[in-house]
Amino acid sequence: MSALAIYRGRPLRVLHGCYEIAGQGMMLARGLAENGCDAHSLAYRVDWDGRRPDFIVELDRRATPFGKAASMLDAFARWGPRFDVFHFHFGTSFLPRHLDLPLLRAMGKKIVFHFHGCEIRDKAHMLAHQRLATCTECDPFCVPARQAKLRALAARYADRVFYSTLDLGASVPRGVHLPLAIETDRWERAALDRPLPDFARRDGVNGPVVVAHAPTNRLIKGTRYVEAAVEALRAEFPKLELRLIDRRPWAAMPEFLAGCDILVDQLMMGWYGLLAIEGMAERRAVVAFIRGDLRSAQFDCPVVSAEPATITNVLRELVSDPSRRAALGEAGARFVRREHDTRAVGETLLRHYRGLPGLEPPKGASRAAGVAGAAGGAGGGSPSAAAGA
């Protein structure tokens, strides 16, 4: 157990809630637990992907707004006194209109906001300052007035504010980047258990090449450009196949990715998302649009950058070159283990918590934790990750 996890003579108690966005509450809670915290995750529903956190309050089963509010109040009464840190994702908290935030503050609790995407992304800023962005072709479902309220709540109540992908930095004033987290072993095992057959011949002519893509939001992801690129390349590569990943249960994703050669994440956002990380962990070549100004923050990121104007040529080079895909896959697995594994991200997050006023560790605890981690070989993340680069 990390010495940093000890608070008032016991493990630091952390609750992640109240909505599971890409399973990050679950993953970060597990990463903290791997570093010795008493950490759990809570959600007010189980979505179509089937991710199940530690605590579930099924608000959708309540027939009336009053019933939903009563369940939320019960959740607050049950877990509010128990935990030291409340880490809220995607603009949520326990109670309607965030009425729990001043109560948690009065109870001496630490409050963390964590933003993940269009709940906070500033469309006007992105369109004005970026040639390509998530918002470039999106039919917007963001609500600027609600985003402004979330920023105001974060400024007033949050002891720390995180964002999960680097393109969000401009939309989250005074925010800190915290890398997305996955259980790396789970994805690595899936690829090792299901190796691609006859790998050296998989060049689209002598053997198949499967391109995977997830059109969760076709306008944000640039799906039509991926489809057009694959269609154009079929004249050169008759054994090229496109598989679309659409609302597939989370439990089935490792096996699905294991059957693919190349994963195209997105062509506009400017950074890579969770699916790209999972693909890299499975040693697959991953393609996504990476903004030049963000690439410098992770200069050794092995994601191959492509955008609508270049995706055809980028895919052509990857399809025809199995050896390059293999090298990218090995580099990706190492990168994910270092930057995105739950234990590494959990240690980074724990250090952020213990830097908050009132949660500072006793003198010498941080140094002792670092020595113990080095001796035990535990992953602690890269310097860039620890600094929130």
Side-chain angles (χ1 to χ4, degrees):
M1 176 187 294
S2 169
L4 285 176
I6 302 302
Y7 176 65
R8 296 181 176 176
R10 55 164 174 78
L12 183 71
R13 297 169 182 163
V14 183
L15 183 66
H16 283 257
C18 294
Y19 177 68
E20 275 299 341
I21 176 70
Q24 286 306 287
M26 295 165 52
M27 293 298 101
L28 293 175
R30 291 175 189 179
L32 290 167
E34 288 171 341
N35 283 278
C37 294
D38 179 6
H40 298 273
S41 53
L42 161 70
Y44 281 156
R45 66 171 53 87
V46 176
D47 276 342
W48 59 266
D49 57 14
R51 290 180 170 98
R52 299 187 66 84
D54 300 315
F55 308 139
I56 301 170
V57 178
E58 289 279 15
L59 293 185
D60 292 341
R61 294 181 180 176
R62 309 307 188 262
T64 65
F66 176 81
K68 288 179 171 61
S71 294
M72 296 166 83
L73 184 61
D74 179 71
F76 174 77
R78 186 186 315 175
W79 290 303
R82 173 177 170 182
F83 292 92
D84 308 306
V85 179
F86 292 87
H87 191 132
F88 292 123
H89 294 265
F90 210 71
T92 64
S93 66
F94 275 112
L95 299 180
R97 299 191 297 278
H98 297 90
L99 295 175
D100 51 307
L101 298 182
L103 298 175
L104 291 171
R105 174 64 63 86
M107 294 163 65
K109 308 297 185 176
K110 295 301 175 184
I111 298 170
V112 173
F113 273 25
H114 198 150
F115 296 117
H116 295 273
C118 292
E119 87 279 21
I120 201 66
R121 187 177 282 112
D122 187 335
K123 181 179 181 179
H125 178 89
M126 301 305 290
L127 292 179
H129 292 88
Q130 298 300 331
R131 179 178 59 85
L132 284 175
T134 298
C135 313
T136 299
E137 295 187 0
C138 182
D139 181 14
F141 57 87
C142 54
V143 182
R146 173 170 168 76
Q147 292 174 331
K149 181 180 178 181
L150 287 176
R151 291 187 186 96
L153 286 168
R156 182 173 182 182
Y157 293 110
D159 297 284
R160 183 62 54 89
V161 180
F162 293 110
Y163 55 89
S164 60
T165 57
L166 284 176
D167 64 296
L168 290 174
S171 303
V172 186
R174 297 176 297 280
V176 176
H177 176 232
L178 185 72
L180 292 161
I182 70 168
E183 293 175 307
T184 309
D185 289 345
R186 177 173 181 252
W187 302 90
E188 288 185 344
R189 281 197 304 271
L192 292 173
D193 290 345
R194 301 172 181 84
L196 291 170
D198 204 7
F199 186 87
R201 292 175 58 83
R202 298 177 73 91
D203 60 2
V205 177
N206 298 298
V209 173
V210 177
V211 176
H213 176 68
T216 314
N217 183 313
R218 297 178 71 91
L219 296 177
I220 287 176
K221 294 274 191 171
T223 299
R224 65 189 179 104
Y225 301 108
V226 180
E227 291 175 327
V230 172
E231 186 61 31
L233 290 170
R234 283 201 175 108
E236 302 172 49
F237 305 103
K239 294 185 178 180
L240 180 61
E241 177 187 350
L242 175 63
R243 294 181 187 172
L244 297 181
I245 311 164
D246 192 12
R247 297 180 72 85
R248 185 173 292 267
W250 183 57
M253 284 301 297
E255 181 177 357
F256 179 86
L257 290 179
C260 302
D261 298 87
I262 301 168
L263 173 64
V264 181
D265 184 11
Q266 53 73 31
L267 299 180
M268 296 185 186
M269 188 171 82
W271 200 239
Y272 59 90
L274 185 68
L275 187 66
I277 297 167
E278 294 165 348
M280 284 189 283
E282 293 208 25
R283 290 175 168 79
R284 299 302 178 249
V286 174
V287 177
F289 172 53
I290 305 295
R291 275 172 30 196
D293 60 316
L294 300 181
R295 173 73 79 174
S296 60
Q298 299 270 233
F299 64 91
D300 63 340
C301 172
V303 173
V304 180
S305 186
E307 57 186 83
T310 64
I311 180 61
T312 301
N313 286 335
V314 168
L315 284 179
R316 177 183 288 113
E317 294 175 2
L318 289 174
V319 169
S320 63
D321 194 345
S323 62
R324 185 184 176 205
R325 297 200 307 267
L328 287 168
E330 292 301 319
R334 293 191 299 270
F335 179 81
V336 169
R337 174 68 66 178
R338 187 189 76 213
E339 298 289 339
H340 294 286
D341 186 63
T342 51
R343 187 176 184 87
V345 181
E347 181 179 345
T348 298
L349 181 56
L350 177 55
R351 291 184 182 279
H352 278 296
Y353 290 159
R354 298 313 298 266
L356 299 177
L359 289 187
E360 302 95 333
K363 290 183 178 180
S366 179
R367 181 177 181 275
V371 172
S382 70
S384 63

